[in-house]
Amino acid sequence: MTRLTRRAAMTAMGAALATPAFLRRAQAAEVTLRLHHFLPAVAPMQSQFFEPWAKEISDASDGAIDIQIFPSMQLGGKPPQLADQVRQGICDIAWTLPVYTPDRFPVAETLSLPFMVRNAEKTSVAMQQLMDEFGGGEYRGMKPLAFHAHDGGKLHTRGKAVTSQADMQGMRLRAPNQATGELLAALGAETVFFPVTEMVVGLSNGLIDGCCLPYEVVPAFKLQELTQFSAAPAPGARGLYTNTFALLMSERSYDRMSPDLQKVIDGASGAALSQRIGAQFDAFEAFGKSKVEEQGNTIAEIPAEEIAKWQEMAQPIYDSWAGKLGDDGLDGAAVLKRANELLDAA
């Protein structure tokens, strides 16, 4: 090696050693995590939450963690399989709904019972706390990153608004989950259940007359063009229902990470993340409602006295759920009582 070549090599080595470790690390990701979800890429959840959250984790890890997002079930399978895909290693992180696998995650499903919702942020805070207290054993092989809920669902229908039990008679409605479907059936509706991704076909071909969903879903599926009426409980009452969500990570993927990168994941998950996603969903809700209003659709109000009657009719659903929790070794009455306390206090 010539003197000039040796000097250049020493200079390059010195520059490399002088470069901060985080800059050297940032040149290439150490860990690539695949995040799988069921909504289309145009959904606000991807552009306004998943993408910024992934960037925050990349920045916090100095580029060592790269989260690649796969919307619309691009890694294969159906939405009800997302939790198992995390456990099996098909993906590293998944965003899913416990109600897509009824009775499998009963504590996580509890706030999906009728009238167990305030707004999305407050309900998400309550759900995270409920899971911390009662749901620790439900997601074996998975590391829950956050639990949350959407705002109370509304009745979106064709032909007429639904503001009373009488209006419900004979209507074919897509139910958002099993428990809410039981309530709608008790009120006189004919209910069907399938994932929200199949709802557009059901409305377009006349299989259903309407659905029960929050406003936040409206823009992604152009629901304002498929229905003409929306109805919600009078202000002050709890919402008709919410669906609960789980953001899950594979324990194996987490365990393979170095302790400093695990700290990054830990810092970007938990109660603060649940509250953040809930607040995000409240913003999505306001935007979705604006699309219904822009379309010129009718927005009706379900009177408080009607909602009170519907809540009484839901009591057998709560009793049955307490029994299911009991079958899993939990005190079902205590779980429901605590859920209501957290909602009232949120």
Side-chain angles (χ1 to χ4, degrees):
M1 181 181 291
T2 67
R3 181 179 299 175
L4 183 60
T5 303
R6 185 181 300 111
R7 184 180 300 154
M10 293 296 291
T11 300
M13 182 180 297
L17 292 174
T19 303
F22 75 89
L23 288 179
R24 295 201 301 273
R25 165 185 271 178
Q27 294 175 5
E30 295 178 16
V31 176
T32 298
L33 302 174
R34 296 158 299 166
L35 191 162
H36 203 198
H37 71 88
F38 57 91
L39 289 181
V42 297
M45 188 63 178
Q46 169 139 343
S47 61
Q48 297 182 41
F49 174 70
F50 285 132
E51 291 175 5
W53 180 69
K55 184 179 185 304
E56 290 164 16
I57 289 175
S58 176
D59 291 344
S61 67
D62 303 321
I65 301 175
D66 177 30
I67 297 180
Q68 298 179 354
I69 304 170
F70 296 86
S72 301
M73 302 303 298
Q74 288 178 353
L75 295 180
K78 299 288 186 181
Q81 298 170 322
L82 281 164
D84 284 328
Q85 288 185 350
V86 169
R87 186 173 53 81
Q88 295 164 359
I90 295 171
C91 61
D92 304 288
I93 301 173
W95 181 60
T96 183
L97 285 80
V99 298
Y100 279 175
T101 50
D103 302 342
R104 183 175 172 187
F105 307 108
V107 178
E109 273 193 78
T110 296
L111 293 185
S112 296
L113 300 176
F115 307 109
M116 299 290 281
V117 54
R118 297 183 67 187
N119 65 15
E121 182 177 1
K122 291 177 179 179
T123 307
S124 297
V125 170
M127 183 187 179
Q128 182 69 46
Q129 185 64 35
L130 189 72
M131 291 302 295
D132 288 344
E133 294 180 16
F134 293 99
E138 286 198 339
Y139 287 93
R140 295 179 183 86
M142 294 168 269
K143 176 181 172 59
L145 301 180
F147 296 100
H148 73 94
H150 62 60
D151 192 25
K154 285 75 181 176
L155 290 165
H156 306 281
T157 51
R158 304 182 307 172
K160 65 177 180 180
V162 176
T163 61
S164 69
Q165 183 178 358
D167 293 332
M168 195 85 70
Q169 303 308 301
M171 293 200 76
R172 295 165 296 174
L173 299 176
R174 181 260 182 192
N177 60 49
Q178 182 173 280
T180 306
E182 291 174 8
L183 175 64
L184 295 176
L187 290 168
E190 298 177 19
T191 60
V192 295
F193 177 75
F194 40 72
V196 68
T197 48
E198 300 173 22
M199 178 194 61
V200 171
V201 175
L203 284 168
S204 298
N205 65 17
L207 177 65
I208 54 176
D209 299 309
C211 54
C212 192
L213 287 169
Y215 284 125
E216 57 94 3
V217 176
V218 167
F221 297 99
K222 297 184 178 180
L223 187 57
Q224 76 275 20
E225 298 176 10
L226 297 168
T227 60
Q228 296 78 46
F229 301 89
S230 297
R238 288 188 185 176
L240 291 175
Y241 87 99
T242 188
N243 266 334
T244 55
F245 297 79
L247 185 62
L248 307 169
M249 182 174 182
S250 163
E251 276 189 355
R252 284 179 293 180
S253 298
Y254 179 82
D255 290 343
R256 283 196 294 262
M257 300 171 73
S258 61
D260 60 328
L261 296 187
Q262 289 178 345
K263 288 180 182 178
V264 172
I265 296 296
D266 294 343
S269 59
L273 185 63
S274 295
Q275 183 171 10
R276 171 182 167 180
I277 302 175
Q280 192 93 59
F281 265 72
D282 283 329
F284 296 161
E285 189 74 3
F287 179 74
K289 184 178 181 181
S290 74
K291 291 300 180 182
V292 172
E293 293 170 334
E294 288 173 11
Q295 186 72 17
N297 290 0
T298 299
I299 297 178
E301 186 176 283
I302 306 171
E305 59 270 21
E306 185 73 13
I307 291 297
K309 184 172 67 174
W310 293 7
Q311 286 178 299
E312 289 181 10
M313 296 178 68
Q315 187 58 49
I317 298 172
Y318 305 136
D319 295 340
S320 175
W321 197 254
K324 289 180 181 179
L325 291 166
D327 292 340
D328 271 20
L330 295 161
D331 184 337
V335 173
L336 286 169
K337 180 176 183 291
R338 183 59 174 149
N340 279 297
E341 289 173 350
L342 290 168
L343 286 170
D344 289 340

